[in-house]
Amino acid sequence: PKAGLLGQLAARLSGVPVVVNTLHGFYFHDDMKPASRRFYIWMERIAAKCSDTILSQNKEDIATAVAEGIADPDLVKWLGNGIDIERFDRRRVPDRDLDALRRSIELDPDAPVVGFVGRLVEEKGLLDLLEAAKTACNHDPATQFLIVGPYDEEKPDALRPEVAERYGVAEQCRFLGMRQDMPELYALMDVLVLPSYREGFPRAPMEASAMGVPAIVTDIRGCREAVEHDVNGLLFPVGDSGALADALIELLDDEERRADMGAAGRTMAEERFDEQLVFGRVLREYERLLE
């Protein structure tokens, strides 16, 4: 949001003839204090006046932009979001590579694996996941949690791996930090969880879907664009660790249902999440504006 605001203002003040902003999700959300929410909406209105087109990653933000008076309907257009569905394809990951990776991070091959991919900050709902992990481990003590993502020390809500000790699940958690072997790591997961409080159009559930892994995500803007409830995953109320635990146990206990969701996720990725579709929309809009 900061880069979008400053970039639009700087471009217009500098006399750039065509200004396009890609909206990755609004900073304000429904649970924010009213005064703060009004401030961020006001800032978005100012920024929007500097752009010739705003490309929104998710459709719900378009409706929000119009309803809050941020932009007229003809200014903000749907872009979507995408991934490399050829890279994220379970068929391209050899089982022998997974066996070696599993040994290297000390995962039990016979126990369920729950994954999280994202920055280690409270806003991503990591504390809700750890709270839910307690319940899930009480149900099945063998459950393992694979947590992938960088430590974002610059943020006031930054978390360190030691936080898992507070919830009594440190032994069940593997904190891997930033990784580049994401297709292989997704292939180790039975379920992906993204309990985030705010998203534009999250990549992790798209990547998981492409890899045939069902996703449990918060019922918020952006996440609803990546996951359809009971199709390629489940939605749960934001901040509700109890509902998250129930959803986790529900899927981990039902292998057939996970397989059905995984297959539906791969189909959805091929039809909706292919980054080539997004590239095409971007290029067509650039060509229209330049003409």
Side-chain angles (χ1 to χ4, degrees):
K2 295 174 187 174
L5 170 65
L6 297 176
Q8 289 171 97
L9 289 170
R12 187 58 75 197
L13 290 170
S14 301
V16 178
V18 176
V19 180
V20 181
N21 179 44
T22 300
L23 180 60
H24 294 260
F26 289 119
Y27 187 77
F28 62 87
H29 52 81
D30 294 338
D31 296 325
M32 184 176 281
K33 293 180 179 179
S36 297
R37 193 173 191 276
R38 286 194 298 271
F39 171 77
Y40 286 111
I41 289 174
W42 177 71
M43 295 295 287
E44 292 287 357
R45 288 173 181 166
I46 293 175
K49 292 185 181 300
C50 297
S51 277
D52 297 287
T53 291
I54 297 173
L55 300 175
S56 175
Q57 286 195 327
N58 80 65
K59 294 177 180 176
E60 290 188 60
D61 279 340
I62 296 177
T64 299
V66 174
E68 297 291 352
I70 293 169
D72 293 331
D74 58 347
L75 180 67
V76 58
K77 301 178 180 180
W78 180 63
L79 173 65
N81 198 2
I83 58 171
D84 183 349
I85 62 171
E86 292 187 7
R87 180 185 179 218
F88 291 96
D89 185 340
R90 179 63 180 83
R91 295 165 294 189
R92 297 170 65 93
V93 181
D95 288 338
R96 64 179 180 277
D97 293 350
L98 294 183
D99 291 339
L101 178 60
R102 193 178 285 111
R103 287 193 298 271
S104 72
I105 55 180
E106 301 180 346
L107 284 179
D108 182 348
D110 299 317
V113 177
V114 177
F116 167 90
V117 178
R119 294 177 299 113
L120 300 191
V121 293
E122 290 185 32
E123 187 184 48
K124 288 292 182 181
L126 188 56
L127 298 182
D128 297 328
L129 173 58
L130 294 174
E131 182 68 38
K134 286 198 305 184
T135 304
C137 290
N138 287 336
H139 178 77
D140 182 355
T143 306
Q144 306 164 104
F145 292 84
L146 197 58
I147 299 173
V148 186
Y151 313 130
D152 199 348
E153 299 290 7
E154 294 183 358
K155 298 294 184 181
D157 61 342
L159 298 170
R160 298 289 296 179
E162 293 77 21
V163 71
E165 297 174 4
R166 187 193 315 168
Y167 295 86
V169 293
E171 291 186 7
Q172 288 86 358
C173 293
R174 305 288 184 273
F175 287 85
L176 302 186
M178 177 72 85
R179 300 282 293 224
Q180 301 301 325
D181 54 346
M182 289 311 305
E184 291 78 10
L185 290 172
Y186 282 118
L188 296 178
M189 300 176 190
D190 294 291
V191 177
L192 173 82
V193 175
L194 181 64
S196 185
Y197 292 6
R198 177 178 63 88
E199 290 291 339
F201 194 150
R203 300 182 66 84
M206 290 192 290
E207 294 170 349
S209 290
M211 292 295 295
V213 178
I216 301 174
V217 303
T218 38
D219 189 3
I220 59 172
R221 292 196 311 264
C223 285
R224 287 190 288 263
E225 201 111 359
V227 174
E228 286 189 19
H229 186 71
D230 219 19
V231 177
N232 65 326
L234 298 174
L235 300 172
F236 73 96
V238 63
D240 191 338
S241 59
L244 172 55
D246 290 343
L248 262 177
I249 293 169
E250 184 181 327
L251 283 191
L252 291 178
D253 283 351
D254 195 336
E255 184 177 356
E256 183 178 353
R257 192 177 179 201
R258 293 200 311 272
D260 289 343
M261 286 183 171
R266 178 64 197 181
T267 299
M268 189 180 295
E270 292 172 348
E271 294 176 352
R272 305 184 195 178
F273 304 152
D274 187 346
E275 64 184 7
Q276 297 299 326
L277 299 174
V278 180
F279 296 162
R281 295 183 195 115
V282 171
L283 290 173
R284 285 192 295 273
E285 190 62 18
Y286 287 177
E287 289 167 356
R288 184 188 71 80
L289 290 166
L290 290 171
E291 286 174 2

